[in-house]
Amino acid sequence: MELFSAEFFSALLAIIVIDLVLAGDNAIVIGLAARNLPKEQQRQVIIWGTAGAVAVRAVATVAVVWLLKIPGLLLVGGLLLIWIAYKLLTEEKCHDDMKSYDNRWEAIRTIIIADAVMGLDNVLAVAGAAHGNFLLVVLGLLISVPIMVWGSTIIIKWTERYPVIIYIGGGVIALTAAKMIVNEPFLNAFFVTNPALRYGLIIVVTAGVLIAGRQKSKHKKVASQ
């Protein structure tokens, strides 16, 4: 991938969208963990907790980018991303059981651990969208930092007011998953010689996830009424 090419910027745009729809949930964790601390300590906890979380995420993302170069794992990663995109469209998020702390170090530790666990989907999606380009990984992390620290309230309001944002994010993740599958080394030669099947699979996977997610959400709404 050439630096600052159309492909580079399209991958960067995909990473930004992924961060917007996936990192906002992690921002909520940061706010909840620090909410019972004194005001003067909350900023410190948010900064140090986010710094620790980003450091862990940076190592994890670089590791995933490297692992995705192993034959077969790009396919596995793509299949996992399809499931992540589907869950994004159908799962209702709940943070009612998230504890808050009045101890600064406990709050920081909680933020780092919670983000490491909850950020696995973000790590995999960003690594897949980066196509092995470490500069894109770094840019993705730099973008996710302000989102995690300042963006949670805005993201929640946007997604509640404009649910289509979630579907855009789910579509981007599904598209990333499909591209990972067709770029799998032992499948790539087949798809290169059969471009119609390549683009057909990308369209079917992306549309299939969106349609399945929409139908599942409708079914849940009907069942709850």
Side-chain angles (χ1 to χ4, degrees), residues 131-146:
H131 304 294
N133 188 308
F134 288 100
L135 176 59
L136 281 172
V137 172
V138 172
L139 289 174
L141 287 168
L142 291 176
I143 290 166
S144 70
V145 171

Side-chain angles (χ1 to χ4, degrees), residues 86 89 174 202-214:
Y86 177 74
L89 299 176
I202 290 173
I203 292 170
V204 167
V205 168
T206 306
V209 168
L210 291 174
I211 293 170
R214 179 65 175 168

Side-chain angles (χ1 to χ4, degrees), residues 177-192:
K179 287 182 176 179
M180 288 170 69
I181 292 171
V182 299
N183 287 327
E184 171 58 51
F186 66 78
L187 295 175
N188 190 47
F190 171 78
F191 284 114
V192 167

Side-chain angles (χ1 to χ4, degrees), residues 31-115:
L32 291 177
R35 71 182 186 273
N36 280 351
L37 290 167
K39 291 291 183 182
E40 63 273 11
Q41 291 185 13
Q42 284 182 0
R43 184 174 179 82
Q44 292 179 354
V45 166
I46 290 172
I47 291 173
W48 285 107
T50 302
V54 168
V56 171
R57 187 176 293 192
V59 173
T61 307
V62 171
V64 171
V65 168
W66 180 80
L67 287 172
L68 289 178
K69 295 179 181 179
I70 299 175
L73 288 189
L74 208 57
L75 173 61
V76 173
L79 294 174
L80 284 173
L81 268 191
I82 291 174
W83 176 242
I84 287 169
Y86 177 74
K87 285 205 305 176
L88 175 68
L89 299 176
T90 58
E91 276 195 351
E92 294 182 4
K93 304 284 181 155
C94 180
H95 302 91
D96 293 341
D97 58 348
M98 181 68 196
K99 294 181 180 179
S100 61
Y101 293 90
D102 52 13
N103 180 286
R104 181 169 50 184
W105 297 112
E106 284 186 358
I108 292 172
R109 184 187 62 188
T110 299
I111 290 170
I112 294 172
I113 294 173
D115 184 83

Side-chain angles (χ1 to χ4, degrees), residues 159-182:
T159 54
E160 288 178 350
R161 188 171 181 180
Y162 308 107
V164 70
I165 293 173
I166 295 295
Y167 284 89
I168 292 172
V172 169
I173 295 171
L175 178 62
T176 299
K179 287 182 176 179
M180 288 170 69
I181 292 171
V182 299

